[in-house]
Amino acid sequence: MNKYLRRGLLEIILAILLILLGYYLMQLKNNWYKPVMILGVLSFGIGFLRIIYRLIRKIDRTSLLEMRKGKKNN
């Protein structure tokens, strides 16, 4: 598990907790639920992008290794 996947999963977990806190604050009629939910959505988006970036890096790395292996055999 590399750092991008780990950070992405942690940010998604943080986002879920922030959104649940936002819903709880909304039920209490507290106006702090708006910024908490915004932070939750932003955190979810960043976490999702980190996981996608990790997948792209992994695909790029495997293709580079295959190219080098092909050049080495020739």
Side-chain angles (χ1 to χ4, degrees), residues 10-23 40 43-44:
L10 287 175
E11 286 183 0
I12 288 176
I13 291 170
L14 174 68
I16 291 170
L17 292 175
L18 284 172
I19 290 173
L20 289 175
L21 176 65
Y23 277 120
S43 178
F44 185 83

Side-chain angles (χ1 to χ4, degrees), residues 5 13-15 18 22-24 28 32 37 43-44 55-58 61 63 68 71-72 74:
L5 179 62
I13 291 170
L14 174 68
L18 284 172
Y23 277 120
Y24 177 72
L28 295 177
W32 278 99
M37 284 196 145
S43 178
F44 185 83
L55 292 173
I56 291 170
R57 281 179 50 108
K58 186 174 184 178
R61 181 178 184 276
S63 65
R68 289 180 185 163
K71 285 181 181 180
K72 184 179 178 183
N74 289 333

Side-chain angles (χ1 to χ4, degrees), residues 55-70:
L55 292 173
I56 291 170
R57 281 179 50 108
K58 186 174 184 178
I59 292 169
D60 189 41
R61 181 178 184 276
T62 55
S63 65
L64 281 174
L65 290 175
E66 288 176 3
M67 275 182 17
R68 289 180 185 163
K69 186 178 178 181

